[in-house]
Amino acid sequence: MHPSTSYLLSWIILGAVVASSDTTTSTCDALSSVLSDVFFPESDIYNASISSYPFIQLRLHPTCIVRPKTSQDVSIAVNVLRESGCTKFAVRGGGHNANAGFNNIEDGVTIDMQSMNAVDVDKEVVRVGAGAIWQDVYDVVEPRNLSVLGGRIGVVGVAGLTTGGGISFFSPERGWVCDSVVNFQVVLASGDIVDVNATSRPDLFAGLKGGQNNFGIVTRFDLKAFPQGPIWGGRIAFAPEADTALVSAFTEFKNPHKYDPYAAGWVTLRYNGSTKQFTPTSILWYTRPELKPGALAQMTEVGPQVMNGMQEAYAGEFTRNASLVVKSASSRTIWATTTFHISPTIVHHIHSLWKSLVPKICETYAYARPTSELTFQSLPPSPQNGSHPNSLGFAPDSTPEKDLVFLQIIFYFWDASATEGLNNALKEFIKMFNEIAEEEGVKHKYIYLNFAAWFQDPLGGYGKEQVETLRHVARKYDPEGLFQEQVVGGFKLF
Ligand SMILES: Cc1cc2nc3c(=O)[nH]c(=O)nc-3n(C[C@H](O)[C@H](O)[C@H](O)COP(=O)(O)OP(=O)(O)OC[C@H]3O[C@@H](n4cnc5c(N)ncnc54)[C@H](O)[C@@H]3O)c2cc1C
């Protein structure tokens, strides 16, 4: 059925229902009268959808869940939701943003894109349904000796990661994941299904690269692929006493004079509040199959090591193995982030502060069995001159910044009553880390949206001018503010 025909039909039906009560329940009834895949509490698919959120705090209970199979289904759903005038809704891709309410909703409608996960390759463009996870993509492209800029853990969604920026194995060489999009297919607030690319709606094209759910629902991502064989990499776990050497090695790795576009990865300092153990780890890759490349040598040679999983494999094998760890976790998870330029001392100072405070915090909330992680990663260099703009606030540059580090601080825990206290701890940590960066004169305004906490302002971190541009784009493509007023979750422009 043509979207506009089903839309009209929905409104004949909804008219009757809504006339009596304009509630979310009646919107769900209207949705289920025109779409086959609308699920209510107690149905198996509803329950499977809720339990597939990886972190417990994300398992909210919407009045109904819509699982569209086509862009037309999404268009119909958007029309019904818009005409309801008030029903709040959420959009879910892979469901891996840790902020409760960003990808699911209590007593509203959740549009769960999981059924739209087809992946097709057409020469060097990969068309990816917006409900796909990265493992779906690697599994299709790698047998063709291709790869894409994508997530480094297979269970993570294409949609959220790409519309929030996106950092890949290949980012030091090729930049942000969002910059590899050649076309977005999008359902706008009007219900229109449109193509968005460098020549068709270029303002929205830039907006979707960093503006996430502020403009519409992306239904398909067309990604540029490139020839790629296996890479070298993996995880190393170190003895607790190796932490300072590992931090020094990471600091050296980030020296912009030693920048190697094939070297990527991060270091994580972990504290388990139950065992009271610190475990430093690194996860590193070299995207050419060279064993022990110089750029990573300092980190791979830190000791003592308790486990060394460095090996040659396809990116999709690394992402599959990493997914097993995430899938088995299922805790409550909260995170926050900040960004700075590397200096000889900044990572050491931040690490020492965290190390001195985290045992006490975990002790205070011991009943929730918390674990904390402090991770340091490289930000991709700013785009090259001539790139199509994104919205992340990094101007295309002939001398891209190569010394940017972002940190992510996480608490995993198992008792909801510790949420407020641990969120406050996150806020305090970020404040103190920023003070250290300010004192050293290395603070950077960017806040990576995909790792930002709900209390942070990553859009503001793109810069005032960029936010104004994004607001203009939102007004142009969504003049009634559907994606501001009714999609309440996410980082909003207004
Ligand atoms: C284990 C793990 C590993 C990670 N690894 C990486 C990594 O390697 N690189 C990296 O950059 N980040 C990484 N991240 C962060 C990741 O980018 C974010 O968590 C991101 O939000 C995940 O995307 P998703 O589709 O799963 O998100 P969801 O939680 O489903 O969505 C996130 C946001 O995007 C919006 N959204 C979802 N679908 C659409 C759509 N179709 N149209 C418009 N808006 C939509 C949602 O409304 C929501 O606000 C990782 C996170 C986790 C938990």
Side-chain angles (χ1 to χ4, degrees), residues 270-320:
R270 175 177 246 257
Y271 179 73
N272 183 323
S274 304
T275 61
K276 302 189 176 13
Q277 279 280 320
F278 283 98
T279 317
T281 54
S282 67
I283 299 200
L284 305 169
W285 296 279
Y286 202 75
T287 57
R288 298 200 156 176
E290 289 170 32
L291 295 184
K292 302 210 172 183
L296 295 179
Q298 273 194 316
M299 281 187 284
T300 55
E301 285 167 11
V302 167
Q305 301 185 358
V306 292
M307 194 280 296
N308 187 320
M310 300 299 280
Q311 57 172 314
E312 191 178 301
Y314 280 89
E317 202 173 321
F318 288 115
T319 57
R320 193 188 320 281

Side-chain angles (χ1 to χ4, degrees), residues 91 93-97 102-103 152 157 159-161 167 213 218 448 450:
V91 184
H96 273 72
N97 188 300
F102 277 38
N103 49 25
R152 295 160 297 178
L161 183 142
I167 301 169
N213 69 10
V218 180
Y448 182 31
N450 279 333

